[in-house]
């Protein structure tokens, strides 16, 4: 990469990894490994860009963040941060696009191991991924990068198929209405015939006090 390109690309790498390190849990060896790798890459970003060697360290940083416990929503935020970059040089654009692709790939790997409780949760993830994949595929197509384009299309198809298969056996979220505020235990018994599921209702409806649940809310259909 030329020096002029590296002058723009290196700060993009730094901002990207600054967002990524914020997603890494503060405790544990995996988190320590991720922060170390991210710190090293940030420190040597300019030289790595000059040497055209920034790809593997970035890949490692994203993978270590995933192993440390970064969530799909957090990686999605990293991608959104990178998308805001508006580089002028070729090197800057390549780094930005690489960051978006690493984010999408990492998010898909996280999603593959996620447990969902309702179809709505799955649909929300599918919708969240739709535009980013389309944009990334369009950029690859415009750049005449057939290999990247085909890889993105295949990854998008794979994660969509996984989510469709995951959603099939899951219950839907349904709305409920009671005529007066009730304790979560009573609501759970009335809705599910199982008072022990009161925690589900509290979490799903952001209940402030379990003795006085809102009269309206959402619950699983099964």
């Amino acid at each position: 990469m030329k020096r002029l390109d590296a002058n723009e690309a290196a700060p993009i790498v730094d901002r990207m990894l600054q967002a990524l390190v914020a997603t890494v849990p503060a405790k544990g060896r995996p988190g320590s490994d991720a922060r170390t790798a991210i710190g090293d890459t940030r420190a040597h970003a300019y030289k790595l860009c000059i040497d055209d060697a920034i790809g593997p360290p970035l890949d490692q940083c994203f993978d270590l963040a995933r192993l440390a416990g970064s969530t799909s929503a957090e990686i999605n935020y990293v991608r959104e941060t990178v998308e805001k970059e508006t580089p002028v040089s070729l090197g800057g654009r390549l780094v930005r696009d690489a960051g978006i692709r690493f984010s999408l790939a990492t998010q898909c790997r996280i999603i593959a191991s996620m447990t969902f409780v309702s179809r709505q949760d799955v649909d929300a993830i599918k919708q969240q991924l739709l535009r980013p994949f389309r944009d990334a595929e369009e950029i690859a197509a415009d750049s005449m990068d057939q290999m990247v384009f085909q890889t993105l299309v295949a990854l998008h198809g794979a994660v969509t198929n996984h989510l469709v298969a995951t959603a099939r056996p899951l219950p839907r979220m349904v709305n409920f209405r009671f005529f007066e505020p009730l304790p979560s235990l009573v609501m759970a018994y009335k809705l599910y015939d199982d008072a022990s599921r009161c925690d589900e209702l509290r979490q799903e409806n952001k209940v402030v006090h379990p003795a006085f649940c809102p009269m309206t809310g959402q619950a699983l259909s099964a």
Side-chain angles (χ1 to χ4, degrees):
M1 187 181 294
K2 296 179 180 179
R3 291 186 180 276
L4 185 63
D5 290 24
N7 287 336
E8 185 177 42
I12 294 175
V13 172
D14 187 69
R15 289 189 290 270
M16 180 196 311
L17 295 182
Q18 183 179 16
L20 182 63
V21 76
T23 72
V24 177
K27 297 181 180 179
R29 180 59 183 269
S32 175
D33 291 342
R35 288 191 297 274
T36 299
I38 291 171
D40 287 346
T41 305
R42 292 178 70 182
H44 300 96
Y46 182 79
K47 186 177 187 306
L48 289 168
C49 288
I50 287 288
D51 295 341
D52 289 327
I54 191 65
L58 278 181
D59 186 20
Q60 182 187 37
C61 288
F62 275 91
D63 198 44
L64 288 174
R66 175 185 64 85
L67 294 174
S70 296
T71 66
S72 173
E74 290 170 337
I75 298 299
N76 191 66
Y77 168 75
V78 175
R79 177 190 54 75
E80 291 175 341
T81 300
V82 178
E83 283 182 339
K84 294 176 183 177
E85 299 287 350
T86 55
V88 176
S89 66
L90 175 61
R93 292 196 299 271
L94 289 174
V95 166
R96 178 201 60 193
D97 295 344
I100 293 171
R101 292 161 188 167
F102 282 133
S103 297
L104 287 172
T106 303
Q107 196 171 359
C108 288
R109 295 190 69 181
I110 293 171
I111 289 169
S113 61
M114 287 174 60
T115 300
F116 297 91
V117 297
S118 73
R119 294 185 187 182
Q120 278 82 348
D121 291 342
V122 178
D123 290 341
I125 291 289
K126 283 169 57 181
Q127 190 62 35
Q128 184 185 74
L129 291 174
L130 184 60
R131 182 197 59 79
F133 264 109
R134 283 182 176 175
D135 290 348
E137 290 161 8
E138 184 176 350
I139 290 172
D142 290 344
S143 302
M144 304 295 288
D145 195 334
Q146 185 176 4
M147 182 177 295
V148 171
F149 175 77
Q150 290 178 343
T151 301
L152 286 169
V153 170
L155 179 60
H156 191 190
V159 72
T160 300
N161 288 337
H162 168 73
L163 290 171
V164 169
T166 300
R168 194 172 294 119
L170 293 177
R172 292 188 177 276
M173 296 298 297
V174 295
N175 296 323
F176 66 79
R177 176 186 291 273
F178 289 97
F179 292 103
E180 60 181 346
L182 295 171
S184 58
L185 284 168
V186 176
M187 278 192 175
Y189 183 77
K190 287 179 176 292
L191 291 168
Y192 302 125
D193 199 25
D194 183 359
S196 66
R197 296 180 65 178
C198 59
D199 288 341
E200 293 180 21
L201 286 176
R202 290 202 296 267
Q203 293 170 4
E204 190 63 43
N205 295 284
K206 308 295 188 294
V207 174
V208 176
H209 196 294
F212 303 97
C213 294
M215 293 183 291
T216 60
Q218 289 189 319
L220 293 172
S221 61

